[in-house]
Amino acid sequence: MNSPAEKQSENPQTGSELLGPEIWNLPNLITVSRLVLALVLFVIIYLEGWWKTSAAIFILAAATDFLDGYFARKYNQVTTLGRILDPFVDKIIICGAFIFLLERGPATGINAWFVLIIIGREMFITSLRGFLEQHGRDFSASWSGKIKMGVQCVAVVLCLLSLSPEAPFNSSAFFLLRDISIWSAALITLYSGVDYVFRASRILRNKPLS
């Protein structure tokens, strides 16, 4: 399997420029729209009272994560800016949502330790990926990372809805479901981090740095 650097050298059109007219393509516009939706979401959470609306906005923002990658691959519109912006926006959405929920207090089910696990894992794995890809190693997302993202998204939605005073979101059964999703997100986040560390170890063992 070729590394991202090798793939770029084979196709000079792919990610050849960080800024330029080619960045204004559909995948990058979708990514930017996801960032705008994230900012709108944070404002609504901060204002309080629009919990079902905030959950719907988050679902819409998270759903576009599939679209930009799909169109970038289908129409060969991968750019350097897109490769940087897409994972950055993903982390802004997830980490930002949990931070703003933490600010709302214990009613959300979110505590500081949970947010630390989420942000700490993202910072560490991002640094590890950057280091390996800088040295020509392929360190793309694994299945554990994709499952982690999905479980975290479910947790965000349930936490937002649990703040609504309307039934069934204000029931003890819904609160239990929310708490299960939070613990599941914490556990899969930790597992995903460990999985990536072992994966990096295997990569370096099979192909040591020169």
Side-chain angles (χ1 to χ4, degrees):
M1 180 179 291
N2 292 336
S3 68
E6 291 169 339
K7 290 178 182 177
Q8 277 193 336
S9 64
E10 293 172 1
N11 184 2
Q13 299 298 323
T14 300
S16 57
E17 296 291 341
L18 178 59
L19 295 174
E22 71 275 9
I23 70 171
W24 300 110
N25 55 38
L26 181 59
N28 287 351
L29 290 176
I30 293 174
T31 302
V32 172
S33 71
R34 190 159 74 252
L35 178 60
V36 173
L37 286 173
L39 297 177
V40 172
L41 170 67
F42 301 155
V43 171
I44 293 178
I45 295 176
Y46 181 79
L47 294 176
E48 301 186 34
W50 300 71
W51 305 120
K52 290 189 290 185
T53 300
S54 61
I57 291 175
F58 177 84
I59 292 172
L60 177 61
T64 63
D65 182 36
F66 165 77
L67 292 177
D68 53 8
Y70 170 77
F71 286 123
R73 291 187 297 271
K74 182 175 181 180
Y75 298 110
N76 192 28
Q77 293 181 326
V78 178
T79 64
T80 301
L81 179 64
R83 284 170 55 92
I84 296 172
L85 196 60
D86 181 57
F88 169 75
V89 173
D90 290 345
K91 291 168 178 55
I92 286 291
I93 292 175
I94 291 295
C95 296
F98 283 128
I99 289 172
F100 276 85
L101 283 168
L102 176 65
E103 188 182 24
R104 299 273 64 82
T108 63
I110 300 297
N111 59 53
W113 284 107
F114 174 80
V115 175
L116 179 62
I117 290 172
I118 300 298
I119 297 178
R121 184 268 181 200
E122 297 300 339
M123 292 175 62
F124 178 74
I125 298 304
T126 298
S127 300
L128 183 60
R129 174 178 286 115
F131 172 79
L132 289 173
E133 293 194 347
Q134 183 180 15
H135 289 83
R137 308 301 191 269
D138 181 18
F139 201 64
S140 53
S142 69
W143 67 269
S144 64
K146 295 175 182 178
I147 293 177
K148 178 267 304 177
M149 180 69 173
V151 175
Q152 288 178 352
C153 288
V154 171
V156 170
V157 172
L158 294 181
C159 287
L160 289 170
L161 292 177
S162 71
L163 294 171
S164 173
E166 302 176 15
F169 309 124
N170 60 349
S171 66
S172 57
F174 193 87
F175 294 155
L176 176 61
L177 180 63
R178 175 203 65 190
D179 292 343
I180 291 174
S181 72
I182 292 172
W183 279 99
S184 299
L187 292 174
I188 190 62
T189 297
L190 288 172
Y191 173 81
S192 173
V194 173
D195 178 55
Y196 273 70
V197 170
F198 278 105
R199 184 176 161 210
S201 299
R202 289 193 299 269
I203 291 173
L204 294 176
R205 189 166 54 247
N206 294 334
K207 191 177 180 182
L209 299 178
S210 56

